[in-house]
Amino acid sequence: MRSLDRFAQMKLDDLERRHLRRALAETVREDGIWVERGGKRLLSFSCNDYLNLSQHPAVKAAAIAAVETYGAGSGASRLVTGNHPLYAELERRLARIKDTEDAVVFGSGYLANAGIIPVLIGRDGLVLIDALAHACLYAGAQLSRGRVVTFHHNDLAHARYLLATHRAEHDDALIVTDGVFSMDGDLAPLGALNDLANEYDAWLMSDDAHGLGVVGGGRGSSFAGPAHVPVPLQMGTLSKAVGAYGGYLCASAAVIELMRNRARTLIYSTGLPPAIVAAAIAALDVIESEPDYIARPVAKARAFTRLTNLPEAQSPIVPVLIGDEEDALAASHRLEDEGFLAVAIRPPTVPAGTARLRLTFTAHHPDDEIERLAQVVRDNILVR
Ligand SMILES: Cc1ncc(COP(=O)(O)O)c(C=O)c1O
């Protein structure tokens, strides 16, 4: 065997031994919630399409119309000829929702985080990052080549201690956190973090991938508390509740203009397909105009946590912690036997020893199925 293949096989064998090998499972999403997978029809609690907008007739119609008008692909980087007219409308809408001067749209959430952080922080800078922040925030922090220091999850005292210890050694400092944590569903204390950032002349960046459309009246985590928190760097993605694709940053006009000039993942990557930008705009129409509808995912998650005596859901994401990887896989299979899809989440997506089922609730999940899921989880998974 060639050394390359030998290397790959050795790595795969190691993953297999540790129950960490993953496989791509072909999944046909029939509508927002029912899927076909491995020959079975399952009710999915493993999808981030919280408002089922990927299937909304107006969203699909907008995408189709954009293909007819502008074609399938954008043809070039936005800075060359890929900046089709729909971008301006989408960025205007995002800035309005987030109450910032401007916004810029990237190819994906991952690309946004990988691009934004290195524009703001260089070798002399400091990035303070929550321990449970998303992998792509870590990727952006590492790409910055600055000093990266992790604070305990949502632990303000630890963040303060690290700033007091390290801030003075660096020219610039950035505090980075998820707004809604992707694997735990809890919210960051954005108000207190913003105060801390101001106190130490650091800049706060929140990743609201799982907040836009579902918390804070649809405007996201900086609007979820008693008072709006003016987080200066509000990043997010259009791939979850918005039901489309792409990432964004909402910030001041100067910061956004700097991103357009310096963010490598924006400059050196092709613009999004027009259909996806049109779909995102149509989805924002729903998010901005249907408050009762957008309240449903969190309400359904709360119904589930009430029925299972789990801590009250703060977002549509509910973790059912299991611990061991093999046990998490077994729990997932148990739910599959009952007709539910709940994919086991294992390290390195979550810390070692915290393998789990990550359940996500959407506007369309039937209440009686949530009750049945709660009963199965209560009787078979939480009792162990
Ligand atoms: C918190 C968070 N940030 C960023 C991303 C990446 O976004 P995207 O899927 O648009 O690349 C995700 C999801 O995958 C996420 O959960």
Side-chain angles (χ1 to χ4, degrees):
M1 202 191 285
R2 294 204 327 264
S3 71
L4 175 59
D5 291 341
R6 210 165 39 238
F7 168 83
Q9 196 55 55
M10 195 181 73
K11 292 281 184 192
L12 288 170
D13 290 347
D14 179 52
L15 289 173
E16 189 79 53
R17 224 177 358 261
R18 294 188 290 136
H19 305 288
L20 294 177
R21 185 158 174 182
R22 302 176 187 213
L24 295 172
E26 195 171 280
T27 309
V28 180
R29 295 180 63 223
E30 276 178 23
D31 55 11
I33 50 175
W34 288 97
V35 303
E36 202 188 303
R37 183 159 156 144
K40 290 185 189 155
R41 188 166 182 267
L42 301 165
L43 184 62
S44 173
F45 286 90
S46 283
C47 183
N48 302 316
D49 190 6
Y50 303 118
L51 297 170
N52 314 100
L53 291 180
S54 74
Q55 310 288 333
H56 193 290
V59 174
K60 292 205 264 191
I64 292 164
V67 169
E68 297 294 350
T69 309
Y70 299 109
S74 74
S77 160
R78 294 189 62 189
L79 282 117
V80 183
T81 53
N83 195 43
H84 47 81
L86 297 165
Y87 267 117
E89 169 67 5
L90 178 57
E91 290 172 344
R92 195 181 60 73
R93 297 285 296 275
L94 287 166
R96 184 171 82 194
I97 290 174
K98 295 290 184 176
D99 194 22
T100 57
E101 286 175 359
D102 206 352
V104 61
V105 169
F106 291 77
S108 72
Y110 199 112
L111 286 172
N113 281 333
I116 295 163
I117 299 176
V119 173
L120 301 171
I121 293 295
R123 283 183 196 282
D124 297 330
L126 172 69
V127 181
L128 215 69
I129 182 166
D130 187 286
L132 297 187
H134 192 263
C136 60
L137 286 168
Y138 276 93
Q142 278 147 10
L143 283 170
S144 77
R145 303 190 201 175
R147 180 175 188 179
V148 181
V149 180
T150 302
F151 61 95
H152 304 324
H153 176 53
N154 276 351
D155 186 337
L156 287 162
H158 192 222
R160 172 181 289 282
Y161 164 77
L162 292 172
L163 281 169
T165 309
H166 300 297
R167 175 67 186 93
E169 300 155 23
H170 299 276
D171 294 346
D172 304 309
L174 185 68
I175 302 177
V176 176
T177 183
D178 287 20
V180 174
F181 285 86
S182 60
M183 295 298 134
D184 292 79
D186 55 339
L187 270 58
L190 288 179
L193 278 174
N194 207 36
D195 292 345
L196 191 63
N198 290 335
E199 192 180 327
Y200 283 89
D201 186 24
W203 308 320
L204 179 62
M205 173 173 172
S206 62
D207 175 337
D208 216 20
H210 299 276
L212 179 64
V214 283
V215 302
R219 301 177 76 183
S221 52
S222 57
F223 294 85
H228 166 227
V229 183
V231 177
L233 298 155
Q234 299 184 58
M235 173 273 163
T237 168
L238 305 165
S239 62
K240 320 282 188 211
V242 178
Y245 199 66
Y248 64 84
L249 177 68
C250 293
S252 67
V255 167
I256 296 303
E257 187 60 11
L258 181 65
M259 292 298 154
R260 293 191 180 117
N261 279 272
R262 300 292 290 171
R264 297 176 68 84
T265 55
L266 179 79
I267 299 169
Y268 299 109
S269 189
T270 299
L272 283 166
I276 232 43
V277 178
I281 296 168
L284 292 181
D285 285 342
V286 177
I287 289 171
E288 287 193 286
S289 62
E290 297 191 33
D292 293 344
Y293 183 68
I294 62 175
R296 275 159 62 170
V298 176
K300 289 186 187 261
R302 286 197 173 141
F304 175 80
T305 52
R306 256 195 317 276
L307 290 165
T308 46
N309 277 328
L310 286 167
E312 184 179 59
Q314 295 176 46
S315 72
I317 303 165
V318 177
V320 178
L321 281 177
I322 309 247
D324 178 73
E325 293 82 30
E326 225 181 331
D327 291 345
L329 287 171
S332 172
H333 291 140
R334 179 76 188 80
L335 289 189
E336 197 174 310
D337 291 342
E338 297 290 339
F340 299 123
L341 177 62
V343 175
I345 307 287
R346 293 167 285 163
T349 306
V350 291
T354 71
R356 69 196 62 186
L357 300 179
R358 169 188 181 267
L359 303 175
T360 50
F361 293 82
T362 77
H364 287 187
H365 276 115
D367 293 337
D368 56 345
E369 289 289 350
I370 292 174
E371 280 165 28
R372 198 168 69 81
L373 174 72
Q375 190 182 344
V376 177
V377 168
R378 225 174 31 220
D379 297 349
N380 297 276
I381 294 169
L382 293 175
V383 287
R384 289 176 315 108

